[in-house]
């Protein structure tokens, strides 16, 4: 803007004065630019690094997704992880220590209750309270067992369930013990030589360090340990009250042949029969 009426400077003086101001501004901007340039260079490097990291994170997320999908595929199909909170300690405690079959049967809602319970007695109560649903689940699983080589076992398993439903719990348990023993020794382990019970127990034992691809199988066979736990005839110890092959054969007590134990043995037969079916179809 040219000088106003009250400005004593001539147009040339005014122009010269503004030129000096403009040069000062230009110098200041240049100084700022020289300082900003390194910052912008660092920013560009950070932006490039973040972009690269985002790509790596995307790949990692995809890899984790694949791993999770693979892990879910190895779980027993009756487990719904949206309803079940699991830990290594809890599921091996239920399947191995408490000898409760939880692979293939029962349904997810009951499995969730079993995991949430804090003691074996509580889990026993849960099974008996839901025994109609558990038996229904066993029937559904047996309908999926179609191997011709196991036809006799499948037919006898149905007879076993019928005996249970009619209230013949001791008879159901006795038959179930024989069926479970045959499934374990002849089809799960394929070994009836001397020492077969001990080998079956050893091979079925899990301590949490189980491979991903073996997870379902480990859970399905975990109850074999207490089922074949040995009994010392001269030890003076009372016979076991949990479902036990040797207890049923050598110590037929009312504590051994109980309503609760009959249900566990039927669950074990259904679970093992379906596991054998799965293996046959995978070969």
């Amino acid at each position: 803007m040219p000088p106003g009426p009250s400005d004593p400077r001539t147009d040339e003086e005014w122009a010269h004065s503004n030129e000096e101001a403009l040069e000062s501004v230009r110098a200041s901007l240049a100084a700022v630019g020289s300082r900003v340039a390194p910052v912008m260079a660092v920013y560009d490097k950070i932006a490039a690094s973040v972009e690269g990291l985002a790509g790596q994170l995307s790949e990692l997320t995809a890899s984790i997704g694949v791993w999770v999908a693979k892990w879910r595929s190895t779980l027993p199909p009756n487990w719904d992880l949206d309803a079940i909170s699991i830990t290594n300690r809890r599921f091996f405690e239920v399947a191995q220590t408490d000898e409760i079959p939880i692979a293939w049967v029962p349904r997810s809602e009951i499995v969730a209750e079993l995991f949430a319970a804090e003691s074996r007695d509580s889990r026993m109560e849960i099974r008996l309270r839901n025994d109609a649903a558990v038996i229904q689940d066993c029937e559904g699983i047996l309908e999926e067992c179609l191997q011709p080589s196991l036809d006799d076992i499948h037919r006898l398993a149905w007879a076993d369930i019928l005996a249970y439903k009619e209230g013949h719990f001791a008879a159901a348990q006795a038959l179930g013990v024989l069926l479970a023993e045959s499934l374990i020794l002849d089809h799960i382990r394929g070994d009836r030589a001397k020492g077969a019970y001990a080998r079956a127990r050893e091979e079925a034992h899990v301590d949490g360090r189980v491979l991903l691809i073996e997870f379902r199988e480990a859970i399905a066979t975990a109850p074999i340990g207490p089922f074949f736990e040995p009994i010392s005839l001269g030890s003076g110890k009372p016979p076991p009250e949990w479902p036990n092959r040797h207890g049923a054969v050598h110590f037929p007590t009312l504590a051994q042949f109980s309503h609760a134990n009959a249900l566990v043995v039927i669950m074990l037969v259904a679970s093992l029969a379906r596991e054998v079916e799965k293996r046959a179809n995978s070969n």
Side-chain angles (χ1 to χ4, degrees):
M1 178 183 294
S6 61
D7 193 330
R9 295 176 299 172
T10 65
D11 289 347
E12 292 181 358
E13 291 174 334
W14 178 87
H16 179 73
S17 174
N18 278 276
E19 183 63 29
E20 291 179 348
L22 288 172
E23 286 299 325
S24 176
V25 170
R26 291 191 188 100
S28 297
L29 289 174
V32 170
S34 66
R35 295 178 181 178
V36 170
V39 175
M40 293 303 296
V42 172
Y43 171 81
D44 289 340
K45 290 182 180 180
I46 292 174
S49 299
V50 169
E51 184 177 351
L53 180 59
Q56 294 176 15
L57 287 175
S58 178
E59 294 177 1
L60 179 60
T61 300
S63 299
I64 291 174
V66 170
W67 186 90
V68 170
K70 178 63 177 177
W71 183 65
R72 281 178 175 265
S73 72
T74 68
L75 295 177
N78 56 312
W79 289 18
D80 178 5
L81 292 188
D82 293 330
I84 296 174
S85 175
I86 62 175
T87 65
N88 280 1
R89 180 192 65 81
R90 186 53 55 87
F91 51 67
F92 286 125
E93 175 185 317
V94 173
Q96 185 167 259
T97 305
D98 291 353
E99 194 186 355
I100 301 174
I102 49 176
W104 301 105
V105 294
R107 64 194 62 183
S108 184
E109 295 84 353
I110 298 176
V111 174
E113 281 196 72
L114 293 172
F115 282 161
E118 294 295 332
S119 68
R120 187 175 190 276
D121 288 342
S122 297
R123 295 177 188 126
M124 293 277 283
E125 188 276 328
I126 290 168
R127 291 200 311 274
L128 289 176
R129 172 163 42 84
N130 294 281
D131 73 333
V134 170
I135 289 296
Q136 186 180 59
D137 294 340
C138 292
E139 291 173 329
I141 283 299
L142 285 175
E143 289 176 352
E144 300 175 8
C145 298
L146 305 173
Q147 287 299 310
S149 61
L150 292 178
D151 185 62
D152 284 353
I153 286 182
H154 295 158
R155 290 173 179 270
L156 288 171
W158 282 104
D160 198 14
I161 288 177
L162 180 60
Y164 180 93
K165 292 170 73 172
E166 292 182 349
H168 305 302
F169 303 127
Q173 183 176 338
L175 176 56
V177 166
L178 296 177
L179 296 176
E181 178 177 3
S182 178
L183 284 165
I184 296 165
L185 297 185
D186 299 329
H187 302 281
I188 298 290
R189 299 303 174 198
D191 177 13
R192 278 192 177 268
K194 184 177 180 180
Y197 297 129
R199 286 190 295 275
R201 291 187 71 242
E202 181 179 354
E203 292 173 13
H205 179 75
V206 288
D207 58 7
R209 295 175 296 180
V210 60
L211 294 177
L212 179 66
I213 59 174
E214 300 172 345
F215 189 83
R216 187 208 66 253
E217 178 183 348
I219 294 296
T221 59
I224 292 175
F227 182 72
F228 277 161
E229 185 169 326
I231 298 173
S232 178
L233 297 178
S235 67
K237 295 181 180 179
E241 296 185 2
W242 64 87
N244 178 270
R245 182 269 177 194
H246 308 305
V249 172
H250 301 292
F251 296 96
T253 63
L254 290 176
Q256 174 60 218
F257 285 93
S258 66
H259 182 181
N261 285 355
L263 182 60
V264 170
V265 170
I266 289 176
M267 292 171 67
L268 182 60
V269 170
S271 176
L272 293 178
R274 187 60 181 86
E275 183 63 27
V276 171
E277 184 80 14
K278 174 66 175 179
R279 293 186 186 188
N281 292 336
S282 298
N283 294 333

